[in-house]
């Protein structure tokens, strides 16, 4: 049974930090590219950060570059998103996605709410 479970969201003041975690099970985690997406109210889902299966390469949306860091621990089947210098416009539901580049298979978590507000 495939499970993708995000955690670590919450309410934080502007300029603060949060660390999101995404724990996966039920598939071969180390073969999947991992992505963090976010969706704010009335907006489309946006790709925030990507990390390759072995963790050797990362990519970020321009809006978070220099503030967010994606990482993974394949021994724990977990991917992380460290978010620093948070802004109100970072407020969204953050989703973890596992993508197999050859099979075209995708698994999604249920999302975790991040609210940046004073």
């Amino acid at each position: 049974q495939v499970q993708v479970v995000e955690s670590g969201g919450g309410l934080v003041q502007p300029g603060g930090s949060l660390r999101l975690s995404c724990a996966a099970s039920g598939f071969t985690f180390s073969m999947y590219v991992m992505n963090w997406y976010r969706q704010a109210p009335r907006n489309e889902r946006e790709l925030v950060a990507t990390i390759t299966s072995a963790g050797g390469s990362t990519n970020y949306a321009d809006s978070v570059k220099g503030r967010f860091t994606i990482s993974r621990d394949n021994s724990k089947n977990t991917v992380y998103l460290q978010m620093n210098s948070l802004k109100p416009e970072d407020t969204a539901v953050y989703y973890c996605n596992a993508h197999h580049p050859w099979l075209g298979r995708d698994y999604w978590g249920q999302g975790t709410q991040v609210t940046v507000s004073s």
Side-chain angles (χ1 to χ4, degrees):
Q1 180 183 359
V2 171
Q3 286 193 312
V4 178
V5 181
E6 302 98 334
S7 61
L11 173 64
V12 63
Q13 291 188 342
S17 297
L18 280 177
R19 189 195 197 202
L20 305 184
S21 299
C22 170
S25 61
F27 60 96
T28 308
F29 180 80
S30 61
M31 295 183 67
Y32 281 70
V33 173
M34 297 301 296
N35 302 295
W36 284 99
Y37 285 79
R38 68 185 180 186
Q39 188 167 19
R42 299 176 297 279
N43 286 4
E44 293 188 354
R45 193 168 292 193
E46 171 192 23
L47 178 60
V48 174
T50 297
I51 188 165
T52 52
S53 56
S57 180
T58 58
N59 198 34
Y60 299 92
D62 287 343
S63 57
V64 307
K65 207 169 288 185
R67 300 187 298 121
F68 290 12
T69 303
I70 188 171
S71 61
R72 67 190 294 162
D73 185 340
N74 285 351
S75 69
K76 297 181 179 179
N77 287 2
T78 302
V79 62
Y80 306 96
L81 186 68
Q82 178 66 43
M83 305 185 295
N84 299 329
S85 303
L86 282 161
K87 305 175 181 179
E89 51 264 43
D90 294 318
T91 296
V93 178
Y94 283 71
Y95 296 92
C96 179
N97 164 258
H99 175 72
H100 195 294
W102 305 328
L103 300 177
R105 186 173 295 162
D106 284 274
Y107 301 119
W108 291 89
Q110 81 291 346
T112 185
Q113 176 71 47
V114 171
T115 302
V116 184
S117 175
S118 54

